[in-house]
Amino acid sequence: MPTYEYRCEKCGKKFTLVMRISEHSEKKCKIVCPKCGSKKARQELQPFFANTSKKS
Ligand SMILES: [Zn+2]
């Protein structure tokens, strides 16, 4: 399943969401920052397929 990286434009928090591509297009406008609850999260990277061994 693809993962999507976002950065909150309000607090700068980076977070990763894992969802299906169809889910992603549905939720595009509903991504909420887990830290401050802002909806101004911006996608950081192109989606890539889950690779849990990769750590920042
Ligand atoms: Zn935030």
Side-chain angles (χ1 to χ4, degrees):
M1 216 182 282
T3 61
Y4 300 88
E5 280 207 1
Y6 291 87
R7 183 193 293 272
C8 174
E9 291 191 339
K10 200 175 168 191
C11 70
K13 167 82 177 169
K14 257 174 100 172
F15 57 99
T16 305
L17 297 176
V18 181
M19 58 186 134
R20 292 186 189 88
I21 290 167
S22 58
E23 246 181 313
H24 175 249
S25 44
E26 272 173 38
K27 288 186 181 167
K28 227 175 217 166
C29 305
K30 299 174 201 160
I31 303 299
V32 174
C33 171
K35 190 178 175 192
C36 72
S38 166
K39 286 176 186 150
K40 293 215 166 186
R42 220 171 59 180
Q43 193 169 350
E44 277 256 295
L45 300 174
Q46 292 300 311
F48 59 93
F49 284 85
N51 178 3
T52 48
S53 66
K54 187 179 182 242
K55 261 200 161 178
S56 63

